[in-house]
Amino acid sequence: MSNRLINVLVPVVSIILGLLVGALVMLFSGYDPVQGYIALWNGIFGDSYAIGETIRQISPYILAGLAVAFAFRTGLFNIGVEGQLMVGWFAAAYVGYAFELPMYIHLPFALLAAALAGAFWGLIPGLLKATLRVHEVIVTIMMNYIALHVVNALIKTVSDGGFKTEKIQPTASLRSEFLSNLTDYSTLHYGIFVALAMVIVMWFILEKTKTGFELKSVGFNENASQYAGMNVNKNIVLAMLISGAFAGLGGAMEALGTFGNMSSRGGFTGIGFDGIAVALLGANSPLGVIFGASLFGSLKYGANNMPNAANIPLEIVSIVIALIIFFVASGYIIRVGLQRLNKKKEAK
């Protein structure tokens, strides 16, 4: 069994195990797992509206996954994608309604604002890591909570004590009448194309540029990279900046495409944290992130149909989805098991 085959089998086995254990949970809870998974399937692919909403859900997951994957590839663990996504969401929403510009200026400006806001939120842990060697996991976790409360305060400020920003101008919107009509008036928007473009950008940076080579080199071995003449501290900061920019764009998908504004939140969106599992499922590769995000986006949206179509309580649905995610995130254990099985076969 080749390593390439093992790489393909790991996510497939992970998903199958998650579905099987999820089925057992439904069965032991007194619900029909077959009907449950039929409802899940119909929630994802049942009609053109469901397909449109599923694709729309995938867009921010791609960008959150890219943010985590980029940091992983450069030797960093960016747990702060959630916070970076939220500040990007606010920045895009604010620029989207506060300015009146032609669309060819306004929309790129709003997207740029989201990317810069996310990059700034990634800059702080990057600087602390580079200068003081403060572990990025601790700082980024704390930055998530700071982002949540800062954004809520900013929303209250710009809305004169309200709980949501104004609706963005049509010139800053990613909404598409064509895509909406194509999918039976779903909220599918052009954000999916922005997300796919960023997949290409990440691949190009890491695989085709000198900067990408240095970023990966520093991630593999800081001492060897420094001995080779690379600026380790600069590359650490740059990696967090780019990772944060991807996350900020994920927030822009929600601000400029799905909701058209931002409301105060009592908790996190969860997209940034799910981005960790998306990146792991995709083996931290740009193409793999697309498949990982497709799984998570599909599960998140399709699961909403299970309580209605199969009478499965939302709590059981959440457990089933969490089990699938758990097995997906435990891919390393499955990989080790497959490798050992392969060695035993070779020994015989």
Side-chain angles (χ1 to χ4, degrees), residues 148-188:
L148 173 64
H149 297 295
V150 166
V151 165
N152 282 343
L154 287 172
I155 291 171
K156 195 172 183 179
T157 300
V158 301
S159 62
D160 295 326
F163 297 99
K164 61 182 178 180
T165 64
E166 295 179 27
K167 284 287 185 178
I168 62 171
Q169 305 282 351
T171 50
S173 179
L174 285 166
R175 286 289 181 93
S176 165
E177 187 176 347
F178 168 73
L179 293 176
S180 180
N181 291 337
L182 191 66
T183 54
D184 197 20
Y185 304 102
S186 75
T187 55
L188 179 62

Side-chain angles (χ1 to χ4, degrees), residues 177-245:
E177 187 176 347
F178 168 73
L179 293 176
S180 180
N181 291 337
L182 191 66
T183 54
D184 197 20
Y185 304 102
S186 75
T187 55
L188 179 62
H189 51 77
Y190 288 125
I192 187 64
F193 299 111
V194 176
L196 293 174
M198 290 304 104
V199 170
I200 298 171
V201 168
M202 175 175 162
W203 169 81
F204 184 79
I205 291 173
L206 289 178
E207 305 299 336
K208 298 296 179 180
T209 66
K210 176 188 172 186
T211 300
F213 176 80
E214 289 191 3
L215 288 170
K216 290 187 292 183
S217 177
V218 170
F220 281 127
N221 193 317
E222 289 185 13
N223 294 327
S225 300
Q226 190 169 18
Y227 183 77
M230 299 177 192
N231 189 328
V232 171
N233 290 342
K234 183 196 80 172
N235 281 293
I236 289 173
V237 173
L238 182 60
M240 286 301 295
L241 276 171
I242 297 173
S243 177

Side-chain angles (χ1 to χ4, degrees), residues 16-338:
I16 291 172
L17 284 174
L19 291 171
L20 287 174
V21 178
L24 289 175
V25 169
M26 285 188 277
L27 192 63
F28 291 142
S29 301
Y31 301 99
D32 186 348
V34 175
Q35 290 301 316
Y37 285 136
I38 289 174
L40 177 64
W41 176 268
N42 289 334
I44 300 169
F45 303 110
D47 51 36
S48 59
Y49 178 85
I51 293 171
E53 289 296 329
T54 299
I55 296 172
R56 186 268 306 163
Q57 185 82 40
I58 288 168
S59 303
Y61 280 105
I62 290 176
L63 288 157
L66 290 177
V68 177
F70 192 91
F72 274 150
R73 292 286 295 275
T74 56
L76 298 168
F77 199 1
N78 184 8
I79 310 295
V81 170
E82 180 71 25
Q84 294 150 17
L85 184 143
M86 292 186 73
V87 296
W89 186 339
F90 174 79
Y94 178 77
V95 171
Y97 82 81
F99 297 89
E100 293 186 9
L101 298 165
M103 187 172 189
Y104 63 87
I105 296 175
H106 202 179
L107 179 54
F109 183 27
L111 290 170
L112 179 63
L116 289 175
F120 172 74
W121 218 250
L123 172 66
I124 298 169
L127 283 173
L128 291 172
K129 170 78 171 182
T131 57
L132 301 175
R133 289 298 180 266
V134 180
H135 203 289
E136 71 275 9
V137 170
I138 298 171
V139 180
T140 51
I141 289 174
M142 295 298 101
M143 292 294 288
N144 286 332
Y145 290 93
I146 296 171
L148 173 64
H149 297 295
V150 166
V151 165
N152 282 343
L154 287 172
I155 291 171
K156 195 172 183 179
T157 300
V158 301
S159 62
D160 295 326
F163 297 99
K164 61 182 178 180
T165 64
E166 295 179 27
K167 284 287 185 178
I168 62 171
Q169 305 282 351
T171 50
S173 179
L174 285 166
R175 286 289 181 93
S176 165
E177 187 176 347
F178 168 73
L179 293 176
S180 180
N181 291 337
L182 191 66
T183 54
D184 197 20
Y185 304 102
S186 75
T187 55
L188 179 62
H189 51 77
Y190 288 125
I192 187 64
F193 299 111
V194 176
L196 293 174
M198 290 304 104
V199 170
I200 298 171
V201 168
M202 175 175 162
W203 169 81
F204 184 79
I205 291 173
L206 289 178
E207 305 299 336
K208 298 296 179 180
T209 66
K210 176 188 172 186
T211 300
F213 176 80
E214 289 191 3
L215 288 170
K216 290 187 292 183
S217 177
V218 170
F220 281 127
N221 193 317
E222 289 185 13
N223 294 327
S225 300
Q226 190 169 18
Y227 183 77
M230 299 177 192
N231 189 328
V232 171
N233 290 342
K234 183 196 80 172
N235 281 293
I236 289 173
V237 173
L238 182 60
M240 286 301 295
L241 276 171
I242 297 173
S243 177
F246 284 135
L249 284 172
M253 299 301 98
E254 305 293 76
L256 307 179
T258 305
F259 297 101
N261 66 352
M262 186 176 191
S263 303
S264 296
R265 301 190 63 88
F268 296 119
T269 68
I271 297 171
F273 297 121
D274 287 342
I276 298 170
V278 168
L280 289 172
L281 179 61
N284 300 319
S285 70
L287 185 60
V289 164
I290 296 176
F291 294 108
S294 297
L295 172 68
F296 275 78
S298 299
L299 288 175
K300 287 290 182 178
Y301 184 76
N304 294 328
N305 191 47
M306 293 173 74
N308 298 324
N311 295 318
I312 298 175
L314 194 59
E315 293 78 8
I316 300 296
V317 173
S318 299
I319 291 171
V320 172
I321 299 304
L323 282 167
I324 295 171
I325 294 170
F326 171 78
F327 278 100
V328 166
S330 304
Y332 177 76
I333 299 172
I334 296 168
R335 181 183 299 276
V336 171
L338 287 172

